[in-house]
Amino acid sequence: MSSLHYLFGKPACKADLRTVNSDFIVKEMLPFSPTGEGEHHMIHVRKEGLNTNQVAEILAKFAKVHQKEVTYAGQKDKNAVTEQWFGVRIPGKETPDWQSLSTKDNNDVKANEADLANKENTPRLTILSSQRHSKKLRIGTLLGNRFELTLRNVSDKVELEKRIQQVMQTGVPNYFGEQRFGHQGKNLIFGQQMLAGKKVKDRKKRSMYLSAVRSNVFNQVVSYRLNHHSIAPLTGDCVMLAGSKSFFVTDKWDPETLARLSSNDIQLSAPLWGRGSILPQADAANVEQAALIALTNDLQGLEQAGLEQERRPMLLKPQALKYRFEQDTLFIEFILPAGSYATSVLRELLDYQDVQEVARQQRVAEQQMQASMQVENLQKAQESTK
């Protein structure tokens, strides 16, 4: 992510993110209300210190169903407080007493030593509501997500406020965030290895690795274009209708089309790669081809995997953005459409440090050092017995 182009230049202001889980709050927004009847149970939960798969496992065990009967609209961070919807299919069974489900002393909830030592980050699961619904909850069935973030030890409030105003007016690059690529970008690495011929039997992992490769292609095209042309429209641009996946190619940028772009009725876009020829034309096509030259193997692999060409908006403008300062702490909240990343907004605002990620990396380094010392001591002991 650090190599991707910044729309307003790399921020100078520094701050700490996720000192505690409650510094990163996410609330899912559904595009519908549960119907109140049907074999699917819509469970609204608040989770902390747990990933989405862990919660799905807890719900399945509590309802006495296979975990494949538990669905969700999207993955949510572990190191956060998130309000998320789950669907549990229970045909021909009585309604479980969902409200009695608590993970306070649940053996299914596993925490590392750092979490246990920090009461602020103790894993918790709370059932907010439960209603029946007539349809299965599927991946991507979200209107958006509301983020409520706290950034501490802000180094330059004046610079940060200037950045916030720029983002409110123009938006940020709609990059896929680092979460998409796994720790140290391993999902991308494994995805490229898979496309090069390495076998991956697990269907979920295969899908995750393909998504990482495809997302990287998008990020690289957006970064290249912003670096060479900023947000200027180009002849032959493939633009998207706001709020939909529909797109069309612009023959020319006349005053009417420019006005639609300015009012966000249409949006500049970049490719989600798949089978088919490049969609833009003229200058816009030349720019995308130049950005894709170094990614030929990835493009061929995505096409062979059966993915189809799609588009994604190049820019992301946070909605309902509000913020306030208390001394050197920033409280900021905004709404993003499903599939967009709060960290992509934050990287344009400040050079932040994810406190919990730094702590995780330190734990990994310590464990590796301990393992190395154990191997070294074992070798010394073996040599001394010779």
Side-chain angles (χ1 to χ4, degrees), residues 34-92:
T35 59
E37 57 185 15
E39 64 180 10
H40 300 276
H41 295 247
M42 293 289 294
I43 314 300
H44 194 201
V45 310
R46 180 186 295 119
K47 69 178 185 65
E48 176 178 357
L50 297 166
N51 64 39
T52 299
N53 288 329
Q54 285 175 309
V55 175
E57 184 180 347
I58 292 169
L59 293 175
K61 185 174 182 179
F62 184 79
K64 296 181 174 60
V65 298
H66 194 281
Q67 193 169 337
K68 70 179 182 180
E69 303 292 359
V70 181
T71 58
Y72 43 82
Q75 293 272 2
K76 292 292 179 289
D77 290 339
K78 173 184 177 181
N79 297 324
V81 176
T82 64
E83 295 184 6
Q84 181 175 7
W85 287 91
F86 288 81
V88 185
R89 180 176 176 269
I90 314 179

Side-chain angles (χ1 to χ4, degrees), residues 307-377:
L307 297 175
E308 301 290 343
Q309 285 269 350
E310 297 179 84
R311 305 293 291 186
R312 173 180 166 96
M314 192 174 80
L315 297 177
L316 168 67
K317 184 174 286 188
Q319 300 299 307
L321 191 153
K322 297 187 293 185
Y323 68 96
R324 61 185 172 86
F325 288 99
E326 288 186 9
Q327 297 181 337
D328 63 350
T329 299
L330 169 69
F331 300 91
I332 186 168
E333 60 182 80
F334 48 80
I335 295 172
L336 297 181
S340 293
Y341 292 78
T343 50
S344 295
V345 177
L346 292 181
R347 79 183 293 274
E348 284 289 335
L349 294 177
L350 28 70
D351 183 11
Y352 67 88
Q353 171 185 250
D354 189 327
V355 175
Q356 295 201 35
E357 176 60 18
V358 170
R360 187 197 68 81
Q361 291 177 0
Q362 290 175 342
R363 290 196 299 272
V364 170
E366 290 171 0
Q367 290 168 357
Q368 291 174 339
M369 183 176 294
Q370 290 174 358
S372 178
M373 290 176 63
Q374 288 174 351
V375 171
E376 185 177 339
N377 291 336

Side-chain angles (χ1 to χ4, degrees), residues 190-208:
F190 294 153
Q192 290 171 330
Q193 291 174 346
M194 181 181 71
L195 295 182
K198 185 176 180 180
K199 300 296 182 183
V200 177
K201 294 182 179 180
D202 189 297
R203 187 176 176 182
K204 284 189 176 180
K205 286 185 177 180
R206 178 178 173 82
S207 176
M208 183 168 59

Side-chain angles (χ1 to χ4, degrees), residues 61-350:
K61 185 174 182 179
F62 184 79
K64 296 181 174 60
V65 298
H66 194 281
Q67 193 169 337
K68 70 179 182 180
E69 303 292 359
V70 181
T71 58
Y72 43 82
Q75 293 272 2
K76 292 292 179 289
D77 290 339
K78 173 184 177 181
N79 297 324
V81 176
T82 64
E83 295 184 6
Q84 181 175 7
W85 287 91
F86 288 81
V88 185
R89 180 176 176 269
I90 314 179
K93 293 188 178 182
E94 295 183 1
T95 301
D97 182 11
W98 296 109
Q99 294 299 329
S100 69
L101 177 58
S102 170
T103 61
K104 186 175 182 180
D105 300 307
N106 195 317
N107 292 329
D108 293 328
V109 179
K110 298 176 182 178
N112 59 45
E113 292 180 2
D115 288 337
L116 294 173
N118 186 348
K119 292 183 178 180
E120 291 291 337
N121 293 336
T122 302
R124 299 181 181 89
L125 177 65
T126 304
I127 305 298
L128 301 177
S129 69
S130 59
Q131 301 173 67
R132 286 183 176 269
H133 189 57
S134 57
K135 295 182 179 180
K136 178 180 179 179
L137 179 63
R138 298 184 182 278
I139 290 286
T141 311
L142 278 181
L143 190 62
N145 294 288
R146 178 184 294 277
F147 295 88
E148 299 172 8
L149 310 179
T150 302
L151 291 119
R152 305 177 188 276
N153 302 317
V154 173
S155 65
D156 189 338
K157 290 193 290 186
V158 174
E159 170 65 20
L160 178 52
E161 189 155 19
K162 177 183 175 183
R163 286 275 181 155
I164 292 173
Q165 294 301 322
Q166 289 176 313
V167 167
M168 291 175 69
Q169 181 175 352
T170 307
V172 302
N174 194 18
Y175 294 132
F176 287 96
E178 56 263 20
Q179 306 98 305
R180 189 75 161 198
F181 306 103
H183 291 305
Q184 299 177 326
K186 288 184 178 179
N187 288 349
L188 175 58
I189 295 171
F190 294 153
Q192 290 171 330
Q193 291 174 346
M194 181 181 71
L195 295 182
K198 185 176 180 180
K199 300 296 182 183
V200 177
K201 294 182 179 180
D202 189 297
R203 187 176 176 182
K204 284 189 176 180
K205 286 185 177 180
R206 178 178 173 82
S207 176
M208 183 168 59
Y209 296 161
L210 281 174
S211 293
V213 174
R214 198 184 199 199
S215 300
N216 180 60
V217 170
F218 174 88
N219 281 1
Q220 296 304 321
V221 172
V222 172
S223 180
Y224 181 92
R225 174 157 175 171
L226 292 176
N227 186 34
H228 290 82
H229 300 278
S230 188
I231 59 173
L234 300 174
T235 304
D237 256 323
C238 184
V239 298
M240 300 184 69
L241 296 174
S244 78
K245 294 184 178 181
S246 300
F247 54 82
F248 64 92
V249 174
T250 53
D251 295 326
K252 60 178 180 178
W253 285 99
D254 54 30
E256 181 182 351
T257 312
L258 287 170
R260 293 182 67 188
L261 181 65
S262 179
S263 66
N264 296 313
D265 179 47
I266 57 175
Q267 300 170 298
L268 300 177
S269 71
L272 293 174
W273 198 261
R275 293 181 297 192
S277 59
I278 235 172
L279 294 171
Q281 298 175 8
D283 294 345
N286 293 334
V287 170
E288 288 197 5
Q289 287 171 343
L292 294 168
I293 287 175
L295 300 170
T296 302
N297 292 338
D298 291 354
L299 304 185
Q300 291 176 348
L302 291 170
E303 292 170 15
Q304 291 169 2
L307 297 175
E308 301 290 343
Q309 285 269 350
E310 297 179 84
R311 305 293 291 186
R312 173 180 166 96
M314 192 174 80
L315 297 177
L316 168 67
K317 184 174 286 188
Q319 300 299 307
L321 191 153
K322 297 187 293 185
Y323 68 96
R324 61 185 172 86
F325 288 99
E326 288 186 9
Q327 297 181 337
D328 63 350
T329 299
L330 169 69
F331 300 91
I332 186 168
E333 60 182 80
F334 48 80
I335 295 172
L336 297 181
S340 293
Y341 292 78
T343 50
S344 295
V345 177
L346 292 181
R347 79 183 293 274
E348 284 289 335
L349 294 177
L350 28 70

